[in-house]
PDB file of all heavy atoms in Angstrom:
ATOM      1  N   SER A 679      96.765  95.902  65.368  1.00 65.00           N
ATOM      2  CA  SER A 679      97.035  94.462  65.471  1.00 65.00           C
ATOM      3  C   SER A 679      96.455  93.752  64.254  1.00 65.00           C
ATOM      4  O   SER A 679      95.530  94.257  63.615  1.00 65.00           O
ATOM      5  CB  SER A 679      96.482  93.895  66.780  1.00 65.00           C
ATOM      6  OG  SER A 679      95.231  94.469  67.090  1.00 65.00           O
ATOM      7  N   PRO A 680      97.022  92.564  63.933  1.00 63.00           N
ATOM      8  CA  PRO A 680      96.603  91.878  62.698  1.00 63.00           C
ATOM      9  C   PRO A 680      95.091  91.708  62.661  1.00 63.00           C
ATOM     10  O   PRO A 680      94.485  91.311  63.652  1.00 63.00           O
ATOM     11  CB  PRO A 680      97.296  90.527  62.802  1.00 63.00           C
ATOM     12  CG  PRO A 680      98.431  90.727  63.747  1.00 63.00           C
ATOM     13  CD  PRO A 680      97.974  91.775  64.720  1.00 63.00           C
ATOM     14  N   GLY A 681      94.476  92.025  61.523  1.00 68.00           N
ATOM     15  CA  GLY A 681      93.028  91.880  61.419  1.00 68.00           C
ATOM     16  C   GLY A 681      92.288  93.144  61.786  1.00 68.00           C
ATOM     17  O   GLY A 681      91.130  93.321  61.423  1.00 68.00           O
ATOM     18  N   ALA A 682      92.968  94.032  62.506  1.00 73.00           N
ATOM     19  CA  ALA A 682      92.305  95.295  62.870  1.00 73.00           C
ATOM     20  C   ALA A 682      92.433  96.280  61.711  1.00 73.00           C
ATOM     21  O   ALA A 682      93.444  96.276  61.024  1.00 73.00           O
ATOM     22  CB  ALA A 682      92.942  95.875  64.125  1.00 73.00           C
ATOM     23  N   PRO A 683      91.411  97.096  61.491  1.00 80.00           N
ATOM     24  CA  PRO A 683      91.503  98.082  60.400  1.00 80.00           C
ATOM     25  C   PRO A 683      92.551  99.152  60.734  1.00 80.00           C
ATOM     26  O   PRO A 683      92.821  99.410  61.908  1.00 80.00           O
ATOM     27  CB  PRO A 683      90.098  98.682  60.366  1.00 80.00           C
ATOM     28  CG  PRO A 683      89.473  98.357  61.679  1.00 80.00           C
ATOM     29  CD  PRO A 683      90.136  97.125  62.209  1.00 80.00           C
ATOM     30  N   PRO A 684      93.157  99.741  59.681  1.00 82.00           N
ATOM     31  CA  PRO A 684      94.175 100.773  59.931  1.00 82.00           C
ATOM     32  C   PRO A 684      93.565 102.009  60.575  1.00 82.00           C
ATOM     33  O   PRO A 684      92.390 102.313  60.374  1.00 82.00           O
ATOM     34  CB  PRO A 684      94.726 101.075  58.543  1.00 82.00           C
ATOM     35  CG  PRO A 684      93.673 100.622  57.594  1.00 82.00           C
ATOM     36  CD  PRO A 684      92.933  99.504  58.253  1.00 82.00           C
ATOM     37  N   ILE A 685      94.374 102.697  61.365  1.00 78.00           N
ATOM     38  CA  ILE A 685      93.940 103.935  62.012  1.00 78.00           C
ATOM     39  C   ILE A 685      94.938 105.028  61.629  1.00 78.00           C
ATOM     40  O   ILE A 685      96.130 104.777  61.566  1.00 78.00           O
ATOM     41  CB  ILE A 685      93.918 103.760  63.552  1.00 78.00           C
ATOM     42  CG1 ILE A 685      92.759 102.868  63.972  1.00 78.00           C
ATOM     43  CG2 ILE A 685      93.823 105.109  64.256  1.00 78.00           C
ATOM     44  CD1 ILE A 685      92.607 102.710  65.466  1.00 78.00           C
ATOM     45  N   ARG A 686      94.410 106.211  61.320  1.00 83.00           N
ATOM     46  CA  ARG A 686      95.292 107.355  61.027  1.00 83.00           C
ATOM     47  C   ARG A 686      95.713 107.939  62.369  1.00 83.00           C
ATOM     48  O   ARG A 686      94.871 108.370  63.156  1.00 83.00           O
ATOM     49  CB  ARG A 686      94.541 108.384  60.174  1.00 83.00           C
ATOM     50  CG  ARG A 686      95.381 109.596  59.835  1.00 83.00           C
ATOM     51  CD  ARG A 686      95.468 109.832  58.306  1.00 83.00           C
ATOM     52  NE  ARG A 686      96.740 110.459  57.998  1.00 83.00           N
ATOM     53  CZ  ARG A 686      97.719 109.881  57.305  1.00 83.00           C
ATOM     54  NH1 ARG A 686      97.557 108.683  56.802  1.00 83.00           N
ATOM     55  NH2 ARG A 686      98.871 110.502  57.109  1.00 83.00           N
ATOM     56  N   LEU A 687      97.017 107.905  62.665  1.00 82.00           N
ATOM     57  CA  LEU A 687      97.478 108.340  63.978  1.00 82.00           C
ATOM     58  C   LEU A 687      98.073 109.741  63.909  1.00 82.00           C
ATOM     59  O   LEU A 687      99.020 109.990  63.168  1.00 82.00           O
ATOM     60  CB  LEU A 687      98.518 107.376  64.529  1.00 82.00           C
ATOM     61  CG  LEU A 687      99.002 107.780  65.919  1.00 82.00           C
ATOM     62  CD1 LEU A 687      98.019 107.349  66.992  1.00 82.00           C
ATOM     63  CD2 LEU A 687     100.378 107.206  66.208  1.00 82.00           C
ATOM     64  N   ASP A 688      97.489 110.641  64.667  1.00 84.00           N
ATOM     65  CA  ASP A 688      98.052 111.980  64.827  1.00 84.00           C
ATOM     66  C   ASP A 688      98.871 111.974  66.119  1.00 84.00           C
ATOM     67  O   ASP A 688      98.318 111.830  67.200  1.00 84.00           O
ATOM     68  CB  ASP A 688      96.916 113.000  64.920  1.00 84.00           C
ATOM     69  CG  ASP A 688      97.424 114.402  65.225  1.00 84.00           C
ATOM     70  OD1 ASP A 688      98.655 114.587  65.343  1.00 84.00           O
ATOM     71  OD2 ASP A 688      96.578 115.315  65.349  1.00 84.00           O
ATOM     72  N   PRO A 689     100.197 112.082  66.026  1.00 88.00           N
ATOM     73  CA  PRO A 689     101.043 111.984  67.225  1.00 88.00           C
ATOM     74  C   PRO A 689     100.965 113.224  68.114  1.00 88.00           C
ATOM     75  O   PRO A 689     101.554 113.242  69.194  1.00 88.00           O
ATOM     76  CB  PRO A 689     102.454 111.832  66.651  1.00 88.00           C
ATOM     77  CG  PRO A 689     102.403 112.543  65.354  1.00 88.00           C
ATOM     78  CD  PRO A 689     100.996 112.339  64.815  1.00 88.00           C
ATOM     79  N   ASN A 690     100.250 114.243  67.638  1.00 94.00           N
ATOM     80  CA  ASN A 690     100.140 115.462  68.438  1.00 94.00           C
ATOM     81  C   ASN A 690      99.022 115.342  69.459  1.00 94.00           C
ATOM     82  O   ASN A 690      98.078 114.584  69.270  1.00 94.00           O
ATOM     83  CB  ASN A 690      99.872 116.663  67.521  1.00 94.00           C
ATOM     84  CG  ASN A 690     100.962 116.814  66.482  1.00 94.00           C
ATOM     85  OD1 ASN A 690     102.120 117.059  66.818  1.00 94.00           O
ATOM     86  ND2 ASN A 690     100.592 116.608  65.222  1.00 94.00           N
ATOM     87  N   GLY A 691      99.153 116.089  70.514  1.00 95.00           N
ATOM     88  CA  GLY A 691      98.103 116.080  71.526  1.00 95.00           C
ATOM     89  C   GLY A 691      98.710 116.173  72.912  1.00 95.00           C
ATOM     90  O   GLY A 691      99.882 116.532  73.067  1.00 95.00           O
TER      91      GLY A 691
END
Side-chain angles (χ1 to χ4, degrees):
Chain A
S679 39
I685 288 184
R686 180 124 210 113
L687 181 80
D688 174 1
N690 302 296

